[in-house]
Amino acid sequence: MKRTLLLISAAAAALMAEEATLAPVSVVATGVEESVVKQPEAIAVKEKEEIELDQVVYQKELFNSLPGVRVEQTGSVFGHMTAIRMPINTGPYYLFMQDGIPVQSSGFFNHNGLAYTTFGSATSVEVLKGAGTALYGSDAVAAVVDVHSTPAPSESQTFTFKGRGGMFGYGSGSLEASGPAGEESGYRANVSYLHSDGWRDHTQADRFEANGRYDIALDDVNALKFVFNASKTEAQQADSFNDYDNIENRSKAASDDPGYFKALEYVDVKRKFDYARLSLEWSHFSFENLDIVTTPYLRYNRNRYTATWQMNLPSNDNKLATVGLLQRNTYHASWGRVIFGFDTEYTQSSLTYDQDFDITTSGWKSYEYKTGAIYDYDVDYFAIAPYAHLEYDLTDRIVLAGGMRYDYNKFDYTNNLDDDSYYYATKVKDGFLVPIYYRPADRSDSYNHLSPKLSLSYSPTPDMNLYARYANGFRIPQASRLYSMNAGYESVTLDPETSDTYEIGLKKYFAKHTFVDLAAYYMTIDDTIIRYKDDTTGDYYYDNGGSSIHQGVELGAGYAFNPSWRFKVAYAYGYHQYDDDPKYEDNEMAQAPNHTGNFRLFWTPWQFPGFEMMAEYVYVGSWWLDDDHEAGKYKGYQLGNLKASYRYDEHLKLFAKIDNITDNEYAVMARYAYGRTDYTPGDPALAHLGFEYTW
């Protein structure tokens, strides 16, 4: 008797849940659900149960327990920087996705991209480390990060309300509804809102998230899945500290720089992120051994901020509207399988960069800036990429896999100001007009790249995998680097960066919560796009440099002592260096600790059913403050966190946590740049309480 696709999906989900007792399931590598132990890539997964115990408020709480993954919040609260097989940075080395669809276009990378996802209500996350498989193109250099928003609809009607409160005016609430919407369809939808006054001055934040999913089986061979995601964030922006005494004394001030407070006289410094995406996934199974999945989507991004790192405090407003299509086909054969298809996207972008007020800067380069437009331009962006991924079973235990992807990316830039013109400022010392910003004339730029992939895996038993992998990746220059130019660097052109990842790994899963996942990697990046300082003018600019080398080891392991006690460790060693760079030679790169670790001890006492507690230790080692190695190192930091939950009955669940339980004073980021040392303070001890009620 035939079953509908909806029932088949539910049954498959149940089987996957049983398999996950041995190893979690991942879709990030190939788009097809498969146990991570079978996949010849370093893939880290966090599932719903552990996410709920973490009681996620910020992105770092969702990701930093995964081996080799480090996310740090910036002074704009929900802003963040990421370090995965790279120093922590703002470059486009990571492909951020939600439910398998990129949250931003290549060429318009925002390092705060995880703020676009609905991470606060995530049900699971996956991180594919190293260059992506053939399914991924530009930006998938160091990692592919996928946030999953909504699981399949429930079989019966349910409602869940979750409320949380905490120190410094923190409060949040969410409501979710799920259930059938007919014999062959179902839905799930949730909304949430968060407010925090912040523990520092000028760090108030508000955030809204919404997710919706509707599944319908049209017949035995066609199914549709509609997914909607939206988030809106408005957060005040505090500054870093230049004097480390403010870190050690736990200053709550927004800054110790007089220039920051001068900025507040002109503008309420904030960051604002707006995001919405609607997608339709059509799955078709009428052809024997062939699964066809076609996913069109619409996406909207908006990013607004005041550039506080510029003394004239310009404002940025970047809007992007995208229509895209992911087309993936999976052919199953007796000898293996082939996954092939193409991705395409068309984005219309507008950017305004304005001087909103007259201002005279101070210092040895004192200028008077007049109100007016600095940049005003539009960019039409088109990308298309066919790909193929083949897996061939050499034996029942050895699998050879290869892939190829061809990417074509094109920018059509339109300048809405005078072509080849400048924004001028007046030099206070002598009254001369000096060109500061340059607006290039209309032009087009295109890039293409062929990315090969190859892997070999050996599975002596179903729960073990030894593998070796090679993957080529690349990232195109960003539109802001191509068209937002400083005067004096009109002739600078940028080439894409290319990368090669070499990796070997071992995965072994013994039983529930007992596993070893070990990977060693060596990654090179050529034609690195680097921020240089002009020694004559003191200006900063971007140009292609030499190469960089990134190598390390990542370990994820867990062990269950007994049904009540288990531990989990995530450790990474990394060494990141320039390779014959014109300025930095072979120096180790700044902001790249060699050692990071996360160690978790779980207690689920049999005497107290429904209760779980986790003690967490976080370690981040020392790192260089600058690439020149002239400013020395920062010592790194260590933290302890305590988290607990209690399931009272089928309706009520309680949560509690204390972060930084010893109230350590530390900096999450520290660097020497623009002629001074910056320290971004880490959070003090913070306590939260919450509950969840389902009916």
Side-chain angles (χ1 to χ4, degrees):
M1 181 177 179
K2 291 185 177 180
R3 297 182 178 183
T4 66
L5 291 176
L6 199 62
L7 293 176
I8 292 173
S9 177
L15 290 173
M16 291 294 184
E18 289 183 6
E19 184 179 0
T21 62
L22 291 178
V25 170
S26 170
V27 300
V28 69
T30 61
V32 179
E33 289 185 328
E34 192 171 27
S35 170
V36 294
V37 75
K38 296 180 180 180
Q39 302 182 58
E41 294 94 12
I43 299 174
V45 178
K46 181 184 278 191
E47 298 177 294
K48 181 179 179 180
E49 183 181 64
E50 191 172 354
I51 290 174
E52 289 184 346
L53 187 58
D54 275 319
Q55 304 161 58
V56 172
V57 178
Y58 303 112
Q59 297 96 313
K60 63 181 180 180
E61 295 163 315
L62 187 59
F63 290 99
N64 285 359
S65 58
L66 301 175
V69 179
R70 179 173 164 236
V71 174
E72 300 287 11
Q73 309 304 137
T74 64
S76 54
V77 189
F78 287 104
H80 70 90
M81 296 187 191
T82 306
I84 306 173
R85 295 190 175 183
M86 294 281 295
I88 202 160
N89 65 87
T90 60
Y93 297 106
Y94 313 108
L95 181 60
F96 298 131
M97 302 195 302
Q98 178 141 13
D99 301 318
I101 300 174
V103 299
Q104 53 192 351
S105 297
S106 298
F108 301 89
F109 180 82
N110 179 358
H111 67 85
N112 304 294
L114 290 173
Y116 290 138
T117 70
T118 54
F119 66 87
S121 51
T123 55
S124 65
V125 294
E126 302 177 32
V127 179
L128 167 60
K129 290 171 282 187
T133 63
L135 274 67
Y136 306 113
S138 180
D139 300 358
V141 172
V144 178
V145 180
D146 194 8
V147 177
H148 298 171
S149 63
T150 49
S154 57
E155 295 181 1
S156 59
Q157 187 70 55
T158 62
F159 297 92
T160 300
F161 177 78
K162 184 181 293 185
R164 289 188 294 188
M167 301 168 63
F168 304 106
Y170 169 79
S172 67
S174 66
L175 179 64
E176 180 174 275
S178 181
E183 292 185 3
E184 308 295 343
S185 61
Y187 77 97
R188 185 180 295 271
N190 59 62
V191 293
S192 64
Y193 176 75
L194 177 156
H195 172 82
S196 174
D197 292 333
W199 69 270
R200 295 176 66 194
D201 296 341
H202 208 261
T203 54
Q204 180 176 300
D206 294 273
R207 179 172 169 84
F208 168 81
E209 291 185 2
N211 298 288
R213 172 173 170 172
Y214 176 72
D215 292 12
I216 181 170
L218 300 178
D219 50 41
D220 285 354
V221 295
N222 288 284
L224 301 178
K225 180 173 71 175
F226 296 86
V227 177
F228 174 75
N229 309 117
S231 64
K232 185 175 182 64
T233 305
E234 183 171 320
Q236 292 180 327
Q237 187 172 346
D239 194 14
S240 53
F241 290 128
N242 303 132
D243 186 348
Y244 195 72
D245 286 345
N246 287 307
I247 301 289
E248 294 180 326
N249 298 331
R250 186 57 54 70
S251 171
K252 293 184 178 181
S255 177
D256 58 2
D257 180 2
Y260 174 84
F261 296 101
K262 182 178 180 180
L264 289 182
E265 296 176 6
Y266 291 91
V267 60
D268 186 13
V269 181
K270 292 182 178 181
R271 272 195 183 266
K272 300 178 182 180
F273 307 111
D274 299 334
Y275 177 77
R277 194 202 72 209
L278 176 65
S279 64
L280 166 62
E281 181 182 291
W282 171 32
S283 300
H284 183 70
F285 305 98
S286 64
F287 299 98
E288 186 176 0
N289 299 325
L290 181 65
D291 304 336
I292 301 174
V293 180
T294 304
T295 309
Y297 60 90
L298 301 172
R299 187 181 63 222
Y300 174 78
N301 303 68
R302 189 177 184 185
N303 179 24
R304 288 166 286 173
Y305 60 84
T306 299
T308 55
W309 53 92
Q310 300 290 343
M311 296 190 71
N312 53 310
L313 306 172
S315 65
N316 183 90
D317 190 352
N318 189 197
K319 303 174 187 176
L320 300 100
T322 300
V323 56
L325 177 68
L326 307 178
Q327 206 289 314
R328 186 184 74 248
N329 314 285
T330 305
Y331 175 72
H332 305 274
S334 59
W335 45 263
R337 66 179 177 181
V338 180
I339 301 171
F340 61 98
F342 69 93
D343 306 336
T344 188
E345 240 187 34
Y346 173 72
T347 294
Q348 289 185 331
S349 167
S350 66
L351 181 141
T352 57
Y353 199 64
D354 293 325
Q355 189 65 49
D356 293 329
F357 38 76
D358 295 349
I359 185 173
T360 301
T361 62
S362 58
W364 69 278
K365 291 180 67 174
S366 179
Y367 293 99
E368 182 182 1
Y369 294 81
K370 292 292 187 181
T371 302
I374 295 175
Y375 303 118
D376 182 349
Y377 59 78
D378 301 319
V379 178
D380 289 349
Y381 171 76
F382 174 73
I384 189 167
Y387 65 85
H389 170 88
L390 181 146
E391 298 174 6
Y392 186 78
D393 299 333
L394 297 176
T395 71
D396 59 350
R397 297 182 178 182
I398 302 176
V399 177
L400 177 67
M404 194 74 72
R405 179 185 179 94
Y406 177 77
D407 282 87
Y408 175 78
N409 312 83
K410 184 180 181 182
F411 299 91
D412 285 318
Y413 156 81
T414 302
N415 175 29
N416 297 321
L417 303 174
D418 292 338
D419 288 345
D420 297 317
S421 63
Y422 295 89
Y423 173 91
Y424 291 90
T426 303
K427 196 170 184 180
V428 173
K429 182 178 180 181
D430 51 27
F432 291 147
L433 288 176
V434 178
I436 305 296
Y437 301 99
Y438 172 66
R439 301 99 165 216
D442 299 356
R443 72 175 202 236
S444 296
D445 296 277
S446 61
Y447 305 91
N448 59 80
H449 185 79
L450 186 67
S451 305
K453 326 279 182 175
L454 186 67
S455 68
L456 182 68
S457 61
Y458 169 59
S459 300
T461 61
D463 56 7
M464 182 177 179
N465 189 0
L466 292 162
Y467 69 89
R469 174 179 179 246
Y470 162 77
N472 175 269
F474 76 108
R475 65 110 161 177
I476 59 176
Q478 301 304 290
S480 59
R481 300 283 180 257
L482 292 170
Y483 310 122
S484 299
M485 305 181 69
N486 286 337
Y489 302 95
E490 296 87 344
S491 62
V492 173
T493 59
L494 296 175
D495 296 321
E497 294 186 13
T498 58
S499 73
D500 293 292
T501 293
Y502 306 87
E503 182 180 313
I504 57 174
L506 164 66
K507 302 180 184 183
K508 173 65 176 176
Y509 284 76
F510 300 91
K512 188 173 183 178
H513 305 311
T514 303
F515 66 94
V516 174
D517 193 339
L518 181 65
Y521 66 91
Y522 181 89
M523 179 174 71
T524 61
I525 300 179
D526 296 322
D527 292 323
T528 51
I529 299 174
I530 299 174
R531 185 174 69 96
Y532 292 107
K533 181 179 180 180
D534 190 309
D535 293 332
T536 302
T537 65
D539 292 333
Y540 290 89
Y541 66 98
Y542 288 86
D543 201 356
N544 290 102
S547 302
S548 60
I549 298 173
H550 311 266
Q551 53 193 316
V553 177
E554 297 156 345
L555 171 66
Y559 180 70
F561 298 101
N562 55 50
S564 295
W565 292 93
R566 60 187 174 91
F567 84 88
K568 187 177 180 182
V569 57
Y571 167 78
Y573 169 80
Y575 189 84
H576 311 277
Q577 67 178 101
Y578 292 102
D579 182 25
D580 196 26
D581 183 79
K583 179 174 178 60
Y584 303 122
E585 299 180 337
D586 296 332
N587 281 2
E588 184 176 4
M589 301 176 81
Q591 302 188 79
N594 299 128
H595 303 274
T596 58
N598 184 285
F599 306 89
R600 299 183 155 203
L601 180 65
F602 299 85
W603 180 44
T604 53
W606 61 269
Q607 304 95 329
F608 198 5
F611 179 79
E612 182 173 20
M613 178 177 286
M614 178 186 68
E616 178 183 35
Y617 170 69
V618 179
Y619 176 81
V620 178
S622 61
W623 63 82
W624 289 103
L625 292 170
D626 64 334
D627 292 319
D628 289 308
H629 294 186
E630 295 178 353
K633 282 188 170 185
Y634 180 67
K635 62 183 179 180
Y637 64 87
Q638 303 175 56
L639 297 176
N641 304 318
L642 195 63
K643 306 176 183 183
S645 68
Y646 174 55
R647 168 65 70 182
Y648 178 75
D649 57 23
E650 63 179 355
H651 299 292
L652 180 62
K653 189 174 184 180
L654 305 176
F655 302 93
K657 70 172 181 175
I658 303 175
D659 293 328
N660 189 9
I661 195 167
T662 57
D663 199 28
N664 285 0
E665 299 93 7
Y666 65 102
V668 293
M669 286 183 283
R671 64 171 185 164
Y672 183 83
Y674 301 103
R676 60 186 184 180
T677 305
D678 288 330
Y679 301 97
T680 303
D683 294 335
L686 296 174
H688 295 84
L689 295 172
F691 73 95
E692 175 184 290
Y693 189 79
T694 302
W695 68 97

